PDB file of all heavy atoms in Angstrom:
ATOM      1  N   ILE A 101       6.861-174.859 260.184  1.00 85.00           N
ATOM      2  CA  ILE A 101       6.590-175.733 259.036  1.00 85.00           C
ATOM      3  C   ILE A 101       6.373-177.160 259.511  1.00 85.00           C
ATOM      4  O   ILE A 101       5.443-177.842 259.067  1.00 85.00           O
ATOM      5  CB  ILE A 101       7.753-175.654 258.019  1.00 85.00           C
ATOM      6  CG1 ILE A 101       7.749-174.279 257.337  1.00 85.00           C
ATOM      7  CG2 ILE A 101       7.667-176.773 256.990  1.00 85.00           C
ATOM      8  CD1 ILE A 101       9.014-173.965 256.558  1.00 85.00           C
ATOM      9  N   ARG A 102       7.189-177.610 260.446  1.00 85.00           N
ATOM     10  CA  ARG A 102       7.070-178.986 260.958  1.00 85.00           C
ATOM     11  C   ARG A 102       5.735-179.198 261.675  1.00 85.00           C
ATOM     12  O   ARG A 102       5.090-180.222 261.496  1.00 85.00           O
ATOM     13  CB  ARG A 102       8.244-179.300 261.891  1.00 85.00           C
ATOM     14  CG  ARG A 102       8.263-180.705 262.372  1.00 85.00           C
ATOM     15  CD  ARG A 102       8.622-181.680 261.255  1.00 85.00           C
ATOM     16  NE  ARG A 102       8.590-183.028 261.784  1.00 85.00           N
ATOM     17  CZ  ARG A 102       7.907-184.008 261.251  1.00 85.00           C
ATOM     18  NH1 ARG A 102       7.227-183.849 260.156  1.00 85.00           N
ATOM     19  NH2 ARG A 102       7.909-185.196 261.810  1.00 85.00           N
ATOM     20  N   PHE A 103       5.312-178.235 262.482  1.00 82.00           N
ATOM     21  CA  PHE A 103       4.014-178.351 263.157  1.00 82.00           C
ATOM     22  C   PHE A 103       2.889-178.459 262.143  1.00 82.00           C
ATOM     23  O   PHE A 103       1.959-179.250 262.309  1.00 82.00           O
ATOM     24  CB  PHE A 103       3.749-177.149 264.081  1.00 82.00           C
ATOM     25  CG  PHE A 103       4.173-177.361 265.492  1.00 82.00           C
ATOM     26  CD1 PHE A 103       5.269-176.685 266.000  1.00 82.00           C
ATOM     27  CD2 PHE A 103       3.485-178.212 266.326  1.00 82.00           C
ATOM     28  CE1 PHE A 103       5.671-176.874 267.308  1.00 82.00           C
ATOM     29  CE2 PHE A 103       3.868-178.405 267.642  1.00 82.00           C
ATOM     30  CZ  PHE A 103       4.977-177.727 268.136  1.00 82.00           C
ATOM     31  N   SER A 104       2.960-177.671 261.096  1.00 82.00           N
ATOM     32  CA  SER A 104       1.934-177.713 260.058  1.00 82.00           C
ATOM     33  C   SER A 104       1.905-179.091 259.387  1.00 82.00           C
ATOM     34  O   SER A 104       0.836-179.650 259.154  1.00 82.00           O
ATOM     35  CB  SER A 104       2.208-176.619 259.019  1.00 82.00           C
ATOM     36  OG  SER A 104       1.261-176.653 257.996  1.00 82.00           O
ATOM     37  N   GLN A 105       3.079-179.629 259.103  1.00 86.00           N
ATOM     38  CA  GLN A 105       3.161-180.960 258.492  1.00 86.00           C
ATOM     39  C   GLN A 105       2.588-182.019 259.423  1.00 86.00           C
ATOM     40  O   GLN A 105       1.854-182.912 258.991  1.00 86.00           O
ATOM     41  CB  GLN A 105       4.614-181.305 258.146  1.00 86.00           C
ATOM     42  CG  GLN A 105       5.192-180.465 257.038  1.00 86.00           C
ATOM     43  CD  GLN A 105       6.703-180.650 256.902  1.00 86.00           C
ATOM     44  OE1 GLN A 105       7.392-181.094 257.814  1.00 86.00           O
ATOM     45  NE2 GLN A 105       7.218-180.295 255.730  1.00 86.00           N
ATOM     46  N   ILE A 106       2.920-181.938 260.686  1.00 85.00           N
ATOM     47  CA  ILE A 106       2.423-182.907 261.666  1.00 85.00           C
ATOM     48  C   ILE A 106       0.902-182.835 261.752  1.00 85.00           C
ATOM     49  O   ILE A 106       0.225-183.862 261.775  1.00 85.00           O
ATOM     50  CB  ILE A 106       3.059-182.667 263.053  1.00 85.00           C
ATOM     51  CG1 ILE A 106       4.540-183.048 263.022  1.00 85.00           C
ATOM     52  CG2 ILE A 106       2.320-183.449 264.142  1.00 85.00           C
ATOM     53  CD1 ILE A 106       5.309-182.605 264.244  1.00 85.00           C
ATOM     54  N   PHE A 107       0.346-181.626 261.784  1.00 82.00           N
ATOM     55  CA  PHE A 107      -1.103-181.464 261.858  1.00 82.00           C
ATOM     56  C   PHE A 107      -1.777-182.103 260.652  1.00 82.00           C
ATOM     57  O   PHE A 107      -2.738-182.862 260.785  1.00 82.00           O
ATOM     58  CB  PHE A 107      -1.469-179.979 261.963  1.00 82.00           C
ATOM     59  CG  PHE A 107      -2.951-179.739 261.938  1.00 82.00           C
ATOM     60  CD1 PHE A 107      -3.734-180.044 263.040  1.00 82.00           C
ATOM     61  CD2 PHE A 107      -3.564-179.217 260.814  1.00 82.00           C
ATOM     62  CE1 PHE A 107      -5.104-179.844 263.014  1.00 82.00           C
ATOM     63  CE2 PHE A 107      -4.924-179.005 260.773  1.00 82.00           C
ATOM     64  CZ  PHE A 107      -5.698-179.321 261.881  1.00 82.00           C
ATOM     65  N   LYS A 108      -1.262-181.812 259.454  1.00 83.00           N
ATOM     66  CA  LYS A 108      -1.863-182.358 258.235  1.00 83.00           C
ATOM     67  C   LYS A 108      -1.773-183.880 258.211  1.00 83.00           C
ATOM     68  O   LYS A 108      -2.749-184.567 257.885  1.00 83.00           O
ATOM     69  CB  LYS A 108      -1.179-181.765 257.002  1.00 83.00           C
ATOM     70  CG  LYS A 108      -1.512-180.311 256.783  1.00 83.00           C
ATOM     71  CD  LYS A 108      -0.717-179.715 255.639  1.00 83.00           C
ATOM     72  CE  LYS A 108      -0.960-178.226 255.531  1.00 83.00           C
ATOM     73  NZ  LYS A 108      -0.115-177.603 254.510  1.00 83.00           N
ATOM     74  N   LYS A 109      -0.614-184.421 258.557  1.00 85.00           N
ATOM     75  CA  LYS A 109      -0.441-185.878 258.546  1.00 85.00           C
ATOM     76  C   LYS A 109      -1.331-186.545 259.591  1.00 85.00           C
ATOM     77  O   LYS A 109      -1.881-187.615 259.353  1.00 85.00           O
ATOM     78  CB  LYS A 109       1.030-186.250 258.779  1.00 85.00           C
ATOM     79  CG  LYS A 109       1.891-185.979 257.577  1.00 85.00           C
ATOM     80  CD  LYS A 109       3.325-186.395 257.817  1.00 85.00           C
ATOM     81  CE  LYS A 109       4.168-186.093 256.596  1.00 85.00           C
ATOM     82  NZ  LYS A 109       5.563-186.504 256.791  1.00 85.00           N
ATOM     83  N   THR A 110      -1.486-185.903 260.738  1.00 85.00           N
ATOM     84  CA  THR A 110      -2.342-186.459 261.783  1.00 85.00           C
ATOM     85  C   THR A 110      -3.790-186.494 261.322  1.00 85.00           C
ATOM     86  O   THR A 110      -4.486-187.495 261.508  1.00 85.00           O
ATOM     87  CB  THR A 110      -2.207-185.647 263.088  1.00 85.00           C
ATOM     88  OG1 THR A 110      -0.843-185.660 263.500  1.00 85.00           O
ATOM     89  CG2 THR A 110      -3.079-186.220 264.191  1.00 85.00           C
ATOM     90  N   CYS A 111      -4.247-185.423 260.690  1.00 85.00           N
ATOM     91  CA  CYS A 111      -5.619-185.398 260.157  1.00 85.00           C
ATOM     92  C   CYS A 111      -5.816-186.495 259.120  1.00 85.00           C
ATOM     93  O   CYS A 111      -6.820-187.212 259.137  1.00 85.00           O
ATOM     94  CB  CYS A 111      -5.933-184.032 259.555  1.00 85.00           C
ATOM     95  SG  CYS A 111      -6.085-182.716 260.764  1.00 85.00           S
ATOM     96  N   GLN A 112      -4.852-186.634 258.217  1.00 86.00           N
ATOM     97  CA  GLN A 112      -4.932-187.675 257.191  1.00 86.00           C
ATOM     98  C   GLN A 112      -4.975-189.064 257.818  1.00 86.00           C
ATOM     99  O   GLN A 112      -5.741-189.930 257.386  1.00 86.00           O
ATOM    100  CB  GLN A 112      -3.744-187.574 256.229  1.00 86.00           C
ATOM    101  CG  GLN A 112      -3.775-186.367 255.348  1.00 86.00           C
ATOM    102  CD  GLN A 112      -2.470-186.142 254.592  1.00 86.00           C
ATOM    103  OE1 GLN A 112      -1.450-186.743 254.886  1.00 86.00           O
ATOM    104  NE2 GLN A 112      -2.508-185.248 253.617  1.00 86.00           N
ATOM    105  N   LEU A 113      -4.177-189.272 258.840  1.00 86.00           N
ATOM    106  CA  LEU A 113      -4.132-190.564 259.518  1.00 86.00           C
ATOM    107  C   LEU A 113      -5.464-190.878 260.197  1.00 86.00           C
ATOM    108  O   LEU A 113      -5.961-192.002 260.119  1.00 86.00           O
ATOM    109  CB  LEU A 113      -2.991-190.587 260.536  1.00 86.00           C
ATOM    110  CG  LEU A 113      -2.683-191.902 261.210  1.00 86.00           C
ATOM    111  CD1 LEU A 113      -2.262-192.958 260.191  1.00 86.00           C
ATOM    112  CD2 LEU A 113      -1.574-191.708 262.229  1.00 86.00           C
ATOM    113  N   PHE A 114      -6.058-189.885 260.848  1.00 85.00           N
ATOM    114  CA  PHE A 114      -7.352-190.085 261.508  1.00 85.00           C
ATOM    115  C   PHE A 114      -8.414-190.498 260.496  1.00 85.00           C
ATOM    116  O   PHE A 114      -9.222-191.385 260.762  1.00 85.00           O
ATOM    117  CB  PHE A 114      -7.795-188.810 262.232  1.00 85.00           C
ATOM    118  CG  PHE A 114      -7.293-188.680 263.633  1.00 85.00           C
ATOM    119  CD1 PHE A 114      -5.934-188.638 263.898  1.00 85.00           C
ATOM    120  CD2 PHE A 114      -8.169-188.601 264.690  1.00 85.00           C
ATOM    121  CE1 PHE A 114      -5.464-188.515 265.186  1.00 85.00           C
ATOM    122  CE2 PHE A 114      -7.715-188.481 265.997  1.00 85.00           C
ATOM    123  CZ  PHE A 114      -6.355-188.439 266.247  1.00 85.00           C
ATOM    124  N   VAL A 115      -8.425-189.846 259.342  1.00 87.00           N
ATOM    125  CA  VAL A 115      -9.409-190.172 258.306  1.00 87.00           C
ATOM    126  C   VAL A 115      -9.107-191.547 257.714  1.00 87.00           C
ATOM    127  O   VAL A 115     -10.013-192.371 257.541  1.00 87.00           O
ATOM    128  CB  VAL A 115      -9.445-189.075 257.213  1.00 87.00           C
ATOM    129  CG1 VAL A 115     -10.306-189.499 256.034  1.00 87.00           C
ATOM    130  CG2 VAL A 115      -9.962-187.757 257.805  1.00 87.00           C
ATOM    131  N   LYS A 116      -7.836-191.815 257.432  1.00 88.00           N
ATOM    132  CA  LYS A 116      -7.440-193.102 256.853  1.00 88.00           C
ATOM    133  C   LYS A 116      -7.817-194.268 257.765  1.00 88.00           C
ATOM    134  O   LYS A 116      -8.303-195.298 257.308  1.00 88.00           O
ATOM    135  CB  LYS A 116      -5.931-193.114 256.596  1.00 88.00           C
ATOM    136  CG  LYS A 116      -5.420-194.405 256.001  1.00 88.00           C
ATOM    137  CD  LYS A 116      -3.912-194.345 255.797  1.00 88.00           C
ATOM    138  CE  LYS A 116      -3.388-195.674 255.298  1.00 88.00           C
ATOM    139  NZ  LYS A 116      -1.935-195.668 255.181  1.00 88.00           N
ATOM    140  N   ARG A 117      -7.618-194.095 259.078  1.00 87.00           N
ATOM    141  CA  ARG A 117      -7.935-195.158 260.038  1.00 87.00           C
ATOM    142  C   ARG A 117      -9.407-195.170 260.425  1.00 87.00           C
ATOM    143  O   ARG A 117      -9.821-195.927 261.297  1.00 87.00           O
ATOM    144  CB  ARG A 117      -7.087-194.990 261.297  1.00 87.00           C
ATOM    145  CG  ARG A 117      -5.637-195.297 261.080  1.00 87.00           C
ATOM    146  CD  ARG A 117      -4.899-195.217 262.371  1.00 87.00           C
ATOM    147  NE  ARG A 117      -3.522-195.607 262.208  1.00 87.00           N
ATOM    148  CZ  ARG A 117      -2.598-195.435 263.108  1.00 87.00           C
ATOM    149  NH1 ARG A 117      -2.899-194.853 264.266  1.00 87.00           N
ATOM    150  NH2 ARG A 117      -1.357-195.818 262.895  1.00 87.00           N
ATOM    151  N   LYS A 118     -10.173-194.284 259.813  1.00 86.00           N
ATOM    152  CA  LYS A 118     -11.606-194.168 260.078  1.00 86.00           C
ATOM    153  C   LYS A 118     -11.906-193.806 261.535  1.00 86.00           C
ATOM    154  O   LYS A 118     -12.935-194.178 262.090  1.00 86.00           O
ATOM    155  CB  LYS A 118     -12.337-195.437 259.657  1.00 86.00           C
ATOM    156  CG  LYS A 118     -12.204-195.734 258.170  1.00 86.00           C
ATOM    157  CD  LYS A 118     -13.016-196.929 257.769  1.00 86.00           C
ATOM    158  CE  LYS A 118     -12.874-197.394 256.390  1.00 86.00           C
ATOM    159  NZ  LYS A 118     -12.644-196.681 255.284  1.00 86.00           N
ATOM    160  N   GLN A 119     -10.960-193.072 262.155  1.00 85.00           N
ATOM    161  CA  GLN A 119     -11.188-192.559 263.496  1.00 85.00           C
ATOM    162  C   GLN A 119     -11.991-191.269 263.444  1.00 85.00           C
ATOM    163  O   GLN A 119     -12.596-190.871 264.433  1.00 85.00           O
ATOM    164  CB  GLN A 119      -9.845-192.339 264.212  1.00 85.00           C
ATOM    165  CG  GLN A 119      -9.120-193.643 264.492  1.00 85.00           C
ATOM    166  CD  GLN A 119      -7.712-193.428 264.987  1.00 85.00           C
ATOM    167  OE1 GLN A 119      -6.947-192.669 264.400  1.00 85.00           O
ATOM    168  NE2 GLN A 119      -7.366-194.105 266.053  1.00 85.00           N
ATOM    169  N   LEU A 120     -11.966-190.629 262.279  1.00 84.00           N
ATOM    170  CA  LEU A 120     -12.771-189.443 262.010  1.00 84.00           C
ATOM    171  C   LEU A 120     -13.243-189.516 260.571  1.00 84.00           C
ATOM    172  O   LEU A 120     -12.506-189.957 259.691  1.00 84.00           O
ATOM    173  CB  LEU A 120     -11.933-188.166 262.148  1.00 84.00           C
ATOM    174  CG  LEU A 120     -11.721-187.554 263.516  1.00 84.00           C
ATOM    175  CD1 LEU A 120     -10.812-186.343 263.392  1.00 84.00           C
ATOM    176  CD2 LEU A 120     -13.022-187.156 264.170  1.00 84.00           C
ATOM    177  N   GLN A 121     -14.458-189.068 260.352  1.00 88.00           N
ATOM    178  CA  GLN A 121     -14.950-188.911 258.998  1.00 88.00           C
ATOM    179  C   GLN A 121     -14.532-187.523 258.517  1.00 88.00           C
ATOM    180  O   GLN A 121     -14.325-186.618 259.326  1.00 88.00           O
ATOM    181  CB  GLN A 121     -16.479-189.050 258.969  1.00 88.00           C
ATOM    182  CG  GLN A 121     -16.981-190.403 259.420  1.00 88.00           C
ATOM    183  CD  GLN A 121     -16.502-191.528 258.519  1.00 88.00           C
ATOM    184  OE1 GLN A 121     -16.521-191.399 257.299  1.00 88.00           O
ATOM    185  NE2 GLN A 121     -16.060-192.625 259.120  1.00 88.00           N
ATOM    186  N   GLN A 122     -14.425-187.343 257.214  1.00 85.00           N
ATOM    187  CA  GLN A 122     -14.002-186.049 256.684  1.00 85.00           C
ATOM    188  C   GLN A 122     -14.933-184.921 257.123  1.00 85.00           C
ATOM    189  O   GLN A 122     -14.471-183.826 257.437  1.00 85.00           O
ATOM    190  CB  GLN A 122     -13.896-186.097 255.166  1.00 85.00           C
ATOM    191  CG  GLN A 122     -12.663-186.847 254.710  1.00 85.00           C
ATOM    192  CD  GLN A 122     -12.456-186.785 253.211  1.00 85.00           C
ATOM    193  OE1 GLN A 122     -13.333-186.355 252.459  1.00 85.00           O
ATOM    194  NE2 GLN A 122     -11.293-187.220 252.769  1.00 85.00           N
ATOM    195  N   ASP A 123     -16.237-185.197 257.190  1.00 88.00           N
ATOM    196  CA  ASP A 123     -17.162-184.151 257.622  1.00 88.00           C
ATOM    197  C   ASP A 123     -16.963-183.816 259.105  1.00 88.00           C
ATOM    198  O   ASP A 123     -17.116-182.668 259.503  1.00 88.00           O
ATOM    199  CB  ASP A 123     -18.612-184.522 257.316  1.00 88.00           C
ATOM    200  CG  ASP A 123     -19.067-185.811 257.993  1.00 88.00           C
ATOM    201  OD1 ASP A 123     -18.231-186.712 258.201  1.00 88.00           O
ATOM    202  OD2 ASP A 123     -20.269-185.913 258.286  1.00 88.00           O
ATOM    203  N   GLU A 124     -16.612-184.818 259.916  1.00 86.00           N
ATOM    204  CA  GLU A 124     -16.318-184.554 261.329  1.00 86.00           C
ATOM    205  C   GLU A 124     -15.065-183.698 261.465  1.00 86.00           C
ATOM    206  O   GLU A 124     -15.022-182.764 262.269  1.00 86.00           O
ATOM    207  CB  GLU A 124     -16.121-185.869 262.091  1.00 86.00           C
ATOM    208  CG  GLU A 124     -17.358-186.724 262.198  1.00 86.00           C
ATOM    209  CD  GLU A 124     -17.068-188.098 262.781  1.00 86.00           C
ATOM    210  OE1 GLU A 124     -16.026-188.698 262.430  1.00 86.00           O
ATOM    211  OE2 GLU A 124     -17.892-188.549 263.598  1.00 86.00           O
ATOM    212  N   LEU A 125     -14.040-184.027 260.692  1.00 83.00           N
ATOM    213  CA  LEU A 125     -12.801-183.252 260.710  1.00 83.00           C
ATOM    214  C   LEU A 125     -13.073-181.807 260.284  1.00 83.00           C
ATOM    215  O   LEU A 125     -12.576-180.868 260.904  1.00 83.00           O
ATOM    216  CB  LEU A 125     -11.761-183.898 259.798  1.00 83.00           C
ATOM    217  CG  LEU A 125     -10.401-183.227 259.741  1.00 83.00           C
ATOM    218  CD1 LEU A 125      -9.761-183.169 261.118  1.00 83.00           C
ATOM    219  CD2 LEU A 125      -9.497-183.965 258.771  1.00 83.00           C
ATOM    220  N   LYS A 126     -13.896-181.641 259.269  1.00 83.00           N
ATOM    221  CA  LYS A 126     -14.253-180.292 258.812  1.00 83.00           C
ATOM    222  C   LYS A 126     -14.945-179.520 259.930  1.00 83.00           C
ATOM    223  O   LYS A 126     -14.640-178.352 260.174  1.00 83.00           O
ATOM    224  CB  LYS A 126     -15.157-180.381 257.585  1.00 83.00           C
ATOM    225  CG  LYS A 126     -15.542-179.041 257.015  1.00 83.00           C
ATOM    226  CD  LYS A 126     -16.442-179.191 255.796  1.00 83.00           C
ATOM    227  CE  LYS A 126     -16.866-177.823 255.306  1.00 83.00           C
ATOM    228  NZ  LYS A 126     -17.803-177.886 254.210  1.00 83.00           N
TER     229      LYS A 126
END
Side-chain angles (χ1 to χ4, degrees):
I101 290 167
R102 185 71 181 127
F103 267 109
S104 179
Q105 292 169 340
I106 290 169
F107 176 74
K108 289 174 186 175
K109 286 182 181 181
T110 302
C111 290
Q112 291 169 347
L113 188 61
F114 272 61
V115 172
K116 180 181 176 184
R117 290 185 176 169
K118 299 184 186 327
Q119 293 171 311
L120 277 177
Q121 298 298 317
Q122 285 186 349
D123 60 329
E124 294 172 320
L125 182 59
K126 182 180 177 184

